């Protein structure tokens, strides 16, 4: 496991997929390397597009190079520079998969795919369905040779669940 100790970000090679343990209150976008903001797709269950845009700007990125699949039960009305899909309820794993697949058309080799909170999917979906979605997302990112960062609050999932997610990825990173 790579553990961040310098207060900076972590890096991935094109096509590399990582299960990332994050503190429950920190946005994983705050620790991405600068190059991630050149071509980034965020499947966000924790941040509205406005918040993602604010973090991108704070990090010096161009919001027009960032896409968001908002995973929320609330209505999302966003009219900004990020490219976004329609919001999808966290219990609608098929809807998430469809929106993710469409958004992947914009991800290039060396781009980044970030799922900001896998735990939310586990709260609303059946575990086996979440694993199938996760495997599909990881496979799609790997096939595009995109870097994948799939964030989880480690202490909020069982060892068995964490192990299954870890098996889909190339490595783990701890930001805690």
């Amino acid at each position: 496991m790579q553990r961040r100790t310098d207060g900076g970000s972590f890096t991935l090679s094109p096509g590399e997929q990582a299960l990332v343990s994050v503190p429950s209150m920190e946005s994983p976008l705050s620790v991405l390397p600068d190059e991630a903001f050149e071509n980034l797709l965020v499947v966000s269950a924790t941040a509205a597009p406005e918040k993602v845009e604010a973090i991108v700007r704070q990090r010096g990125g161009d919001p027009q190079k960032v896409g968001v699949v908002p995973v929320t039960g609330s209505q999302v009305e966003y009219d900004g520079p990020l490219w976004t899909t329609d919001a999808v309820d966290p219990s609608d794993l098929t809807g998430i998969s469809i929106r993710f697949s469409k958004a992947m058309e914009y991800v290039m080799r060396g781009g980044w795919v970030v799922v900001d909170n896998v735990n939310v999917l586990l709260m609303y979906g059946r575990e086996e369905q979440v694993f199938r979605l996760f495997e599909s997302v990881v496979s799609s990112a790997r096939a595009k040779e995109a870097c994948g960062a799939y964030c989880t609050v480690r202490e909020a999932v069982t060892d068995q669940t964490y192990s299954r997610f870890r098996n889909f990825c190339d490595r783990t990173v701890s930001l805690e």
Side-chain angles (χ1 to χ4, degrees), residues 130-151:
V130 174
F131 288 133
R132 281 196 299 275
L133 173 64
F134 189 83
E135 180 179 27
S136 173
V137 168
V138 170
S139 295
S140 294
R142 187 175 277 128
K144 277 262 185 147
E145 294 186 54
C147 303
Y150 311 98
C151 304

Side-chain angles (χ1 to χ4, degrees), residues 21-28 46 116-117 152-156 176:
S21 298
V22 297
S24 62
M25 300 309 286
E26 182 177 352
S27 170
T46 61
D116 71 359
N117 194 322
T152 183
V153 177
R154 174 63 185 97
E155 63 271 5
E176 299 178 289

Side-chain angles (χ1 to χ4, degrees), residues 41-46 67-71 96 100 113-117 121 137:
L41 171 60
V42 182
V43 178
S44 183
T46 61
V68 178
V69 176
V71 180
I96 294 170
F100 172 79
V113 172
V114 175
V115 177
D116 71 359
N117 194 322
L121 301 177
V137 168

Side-chain angles (χ1 to χ4, degrees), residues 23-43:
S24 62
M25 300 309 286
E26 182 177 352
S27 170
L29 300 180
S30 66
V31 295
L32 293 178
D34 291 341
E35 63 267 14
F37 296 96
E38 291 300 312
N39 181 233
L40 173 64
L41 171 60
V42 182
V43 178

Side-chain angles (χ1 to χ4, degrees), residues 107-176:
V107 177
M108 297 176 279
R109 181 187 188 281
W112 280 68
V113 172
V114 175
V115 177
D116 71 359
N117 194 322
V118 175
N119 300 62
V120 171
L121 301 177
L122 288 168
M123 287 172 42
Y124 290 95
R126 290 198 345 255
E127 195 170 81
E128 285 306 314
Q129 291 176 320
V130 174
F131 288 133
R132 281 196 299 275
L133 173 64
F134 189 83
E135 180 179 27
S136 173
V137 168
V138 170
S139 295
S140 294
R142 187 175 277 128
K144 277 262 185 147
E145 294 186 54
C147 303
Y150 311 98
C151 304
T152 183
V153 177
R154 174 63 185 97
E155 63 271 5
V157 296
T158 67
D159 290 344
Q160 180 181 6
T161 298
Y162 182 82
S163 179
R164 285 191 69 185
F165 283 129
R166 185 181 62 223
N167 288 338
F168 293 115
C169 296
D170 302 308
R171 68 181 173 118
T172 59
V173 175
S174 178
L175 302 179
E176 299 178 289

Side-chain angles (χ1 to χ4, degrees), residues 45-122:
T46 61
E50 295 85 4
K51 181 159 172 94
V52 173
E53 180 185 344
I55 293 169
V56 170
R57 288 184 186 282
Q58 177 184 357
R59 293 289 314 276
D62 179 353
Q64 293 183 343
K65 296 180 179 182
V66 178
V68 178
V69 176
V71 180
T72 178
S74 303
Q75 183 72 12
V76 173
E77 293 186 25
Y78 174 76
D79 187 27
L82 299 173
W83 44 275
T84 64
T85 68
D86 291 334
V88 60
D89 192 274
S91 65
D92 183 3
L93 299 182
T94 300
I96 294 170
S97 179
I98 291 168
R99 285 164 181 80
F100 172 79
S101 293
K102 180 68 176 161
M104 279 299 288
E105 294 176 16
Y106 298 96
V107 177
M108 297 176 279
R109 181 187 188 281
W112 280 68
V113 172
V114 175
V115 177
D116 71 359
N117 194 322
V118 175
N119 300 62
V120 171
L121 301 177
L122 288 168

